[in-house]
Amino acid sequence: MRSKGDVSRFQILVEIAEYQPAIRQQEIANRIGMTTQAVSEYIRDLVDEGMVTMSGRSNYAVTKTGMAWVMENAATLELYVRHIRRDIIKHVSVWTAIAADDMKKGDIAGLYMKDGYLCAEKKPRSATATVYADAKKNNDVGIFDVNGIIEHHEGIIHVCKVPRVQHGGSLKVRKDKLKKIVVMAGLVAAVGIESSIALKSIGRNPDLFFGASEGVIDAAYHGITCAIVITDDEFTTFVKRLENTPLEYKIYDLIIPEDQ
């Protein structure tokens, strides 16, 4: 069936075949969620094509030609459903992890989080899964039939406020304090060129610049402690976003007062 029209024709033929010869167009319409007028137009076409016969006002029957068409398309549907069950659903239910050991198909792997990534190893863990296919250490490995709870702790976000360029920019940032904060983080992000320059001035290139706010939140959910250096005009909006999450965060005002 290549179109929505073919699907509707199939449904109408099946309804007629099941309840023939006495079935009204209104009954068919109610069963398949279509208007009576649309059903009437389809039946008229099916009669013209020799797939349905009509005798009287509400007496319809599917012809041999019509049944052959139904059987042909039913077989196609069956193959499609089988494809969904065997391939698509199976594929969706397969997770991806990093293999901490060489793995064989059918092995029971222990699952854990490391640096924000899901990992699988031969050692038993509180969560386990079955290995989908052979995989070498440090490669991606498919896993399914996950059981238990994967041990996981969300990361802390260190929010560092710095000034816009009109208020001194990177020159008015407490660099010594920024250094101490950055070393605590597994991922460092910058919002604003002033933030990026401030980080580079202490010898640390930001891991994220474009899409930094979203990336930091996502990384923290995956267990990575983050530092985000953000200009004061973007600071309030970002903190409000954090307030609507369960994530832990700490705020640092790194702006050197203008009189200093």
Side-chain angles (χ1 to χ4, degrees), residues 62-259:
V62 179
T63 65
K64 289 184 179 180
T65 301
M67 285 305 301
W69 190 88
V70 169
M71 294 301 293
E72 179 183 350
N73 284 279
T76 302
L77 279 175
E78 185 177 357
L79 289 173
Y80 186 63
V81 171
R82 188 180 303 169
H83 166 63
I84 292 173
R85 288 176 176 169
R86 292 186 177 181
D87 301 322
I88 297 177
I89 293 177
K90 185 176 183 180
H91 174 72
V92 170
S93 63
V94 175
W95 296 19
T96 306
I98 297 175
D101 303 298
D102 290 345
M103 297 284 185
K104 293 291 185 182
K105 179 179 180 180
D107 283 351
I108 302 300
L111 305 180
Y112 64 99
M113 297 294 295
K114 181 180 180 182
D115 299 328
Y117 292 97
L118 178 63
C119 300
E121 65 177 1
K122 291 184 176 180
K123 178 183 175 182
R125 292 268 185 169
S126 59
T128 60
T130 304
V131 175
Y132 181 74
D134 294 358
K136 292 292 185 181
K137 183 178 179 179
N138 296 326
N139 283 358
D140 49 325
V141 58
I143 54 172
F144 65 99
D145 193 19
V146 177
N147 294 290
I149 299 175
I150 300 171
E151 294 180 4
H152 174 67
H153 300 283
E154 293 161 346
I156 299 171
I157 298 178
H158 299 281
V159 186
C160 305
K161 182 169 70 171
V162 300
R164 283 295 312 280
V165 68
Q166 60 265 44
H167 299 296
S170 63
L171 296 177
K172 285 289 185 176
V173 174
R174 299 182 186 276
K175 307 289 176 56
D176 53 343
K177 193 169 183 180
L178 180 60
K179 275 186 178 181
K180 293 177 181 178
I181 297 167
V182 164
V183 296
M184 297 188 291
L187 183 146
V188 177
V191 176
I193 292 176
E194 300 91 338
S195 301
S196 181
I197 298 300
L199 283 166
K200 290 177 180 178
S201 71
I202 63 170
R204 181 64 160 89
N205 289 322
D207 301 307
L208 293 177
F209 184 75
F210 300 105
S213 299
E214 294 77 10
V216 163
I217 291 173
D218 193 33
Y221 272 122
H222 283 77
I224 300 174
T225 293
C226 304
I228 181 168
V229 185
I230 186 167
T231 52
D232 51 12
D233 60 328
E234 298 285 348
F235 171 80
T236 302
T237 300
F238 181 68
V239 171
K240 284 182 178 178
R241 287 185 61 188
L242 291 180
E243 289 173 351
N244 293 321
T245 73
L247 297 169
E248 181 183 351
Y249 62 92
K250 297 180 180 179
I251 293 174
Y252 307 86
D253 188 343
L254 302 187
I255 300 175
I256 298 175
E258 292 186 7
D259 58 352

